Amino acid sequence: MTPRPTIIDCDPGTDDAIALWLALASPELDVRLVTVAGGNVGLDRTTANARAIVALAGRAIPVVAGAERSLMAPFRAETAVHGDDGLGGVRLPEGPPLAPGIAADAIRALLRSAPARSVTVVGLGPVTNLALAFATEPALVDRVAEIALMSGAWSEGNITPAAEFNAWNDPEALAMLLGLGCRRSMATLDLTAQALVTPQVIEDLARHQGGACWQATLAILRALPPSRRMGHRGFPLHDPCTIAWLLAPKLFGARDAHAEVDCGPGPGRGRTVIDRWDRLRRPPNLMLQETLDSTGFFTLLAERIARLP
Ligand code: RIB
Ligand code: CA
């Protein structure tokens, strides 16, 4: 098996942290670059967290800072889920400094040096950095094997009634990515609701022995509040679903679908309109993940992250 060269654009973020560790623990992925957006808690925190997460895994992958804010709106902090520090109060040892440069430049440089259709691009936050990279050098889309996103919802949102956080934070950037001519996949809120972390799931996961990354994973899971949207039964572990799709697609049920994002100014801003039943007769623009084998997912998560230092 040849590992897939991979770029991860993220905004850590409790679930981003766990997604990064899952990716870094997995031989199927060759993570070559981590780029960071401001996301929920702002670039100072998300870059410090990304540096610490990568270092705790014992890896020396460049971490490059990108956009604090979205293309069309100022930065808006949203600390309810991840806490003020973005990691639910779980302290990690400081990582090495950021790599120099700006995320969009680093993404383009890596793609430029890659063969056609070879690089997997993962988006775990608002996709501003990715949109800037492709808007400024669109020909590089031919280097992309797949863009794998955690974004959107076909039912209700989690930041507004209509919109999921990543899509709502930068809908213009998401619209740009949805229009690129390459393979795409998407884990929406409807999928990640099936990766529900309940007290029982945490108890089961805690039976696995592991190093510092696994201990930090368990600490993060214990720190997160149950979600009102999930009836307080637990909380959805969003971003690791996108990585799990790349590692074990057999855990998922998926279908081709056409998706658009509402970029209007009203209450629907950021809403993803996903045509699961081909009512609009538009060509599919992504592989939509619909169902998840949650037992298989949590087993994969534990077995992989427990291998890390
Ligand atoms: O809506 C879920 C997304 O926003 C995830 O990427 C998570 O990190 C959150 O902030
Ligand atoms: Ca995220």
Side-chain angles (χ1 to χ4, degrees), residues 86-103:
L87 292 180
V90 175
R91 302 288 292 271
L92 303 180
E94 173 93 20
L98 285 167
I102 294 174

Side-chain angles (χ1 to χ4, degrees), residues 11 15-16 40 82 124 150 158 164-166 189 238-239:
D11 60 335
D15 57 329
D16 301 71
N40 294 67
H82 305 278
L124 304 179
M150 190 284 127
N158 62 351
E164 179 278 332
F165 175 80
N166 292 338
L189 292 180
H238 307 287
D239 293 343

Side-chain angles (χ1 to χ4, degrees), residues 4-184:
R4 296 164 72 150
T6 302
I7 297 171
I8 300 185
D9 186 60
C10 56
D11 60 335
T14 50
D15 57 329
D16 301 71
I18 297 170
L20 280 165
W21 285 323
L22 178 59
L24 296 174
S26 294
E28 295 88 346
L29 302 182
D30 171 12
V31 181
R32 295 189 179 175
L33 173 66
V34 173
T35 54
V36 186
N40 294 67
V41 294
L43 207 54
D44 282 351
R45 291 306 329 163
T46 54
T47 52
N49 292 344
R51 292 188 290 107
I53 292 160
V54 172
L56 197 67
R59 302 288 288 276
I61 298 161
V63 176
V64 182
E68 165 103 313
R69 47 162 281 184
S70 59
L71 295 175
M72 306 295 280
F75 174 72
R76 297 162 285 197
E78 206 34 76
T79 56
V81 174
H82 305 278
D84 290 339
D85 66 355
L87 292 180
V90 175
R91 302 288 292 271
L92 303 180
E94 173 93 20
L98 285 167
I102 294 174
D105 293 339
I107 293 165
R108 284 196 314 262
L110 194 149
L111 292 174
R112 237 180 259 132
S113 65
R117 288 182 293 284
S118 64
V119 181
T120 297
V121 178
V122 177
L124 304 179
V127 289
T128 320
N129 295 329
L130 300 177
L132 286 170
F134 289 109
T136 46
E137 203 168 339
L140 290 176
V141 77
D142 79 352
R143 312 300 164 90
V144 172
E146 175 172 347
I147 297 180
L149 301 174
M150 190 284 127
S151 192
W154 68 72
S155 55
E156 63 175 350
N158 62 351
I159 184 77
T160 72
E164 179 278 332
F165 175 80
N166 292 338
W168 167 85
N169 186 283
D170 201 340
E172 283 79 13
L174 179 60
M176 198 269 176
L177 285 201
L178 289 175
L180 291 175
C182 65
R183 182 181 156 89
R184 248 174 313 266

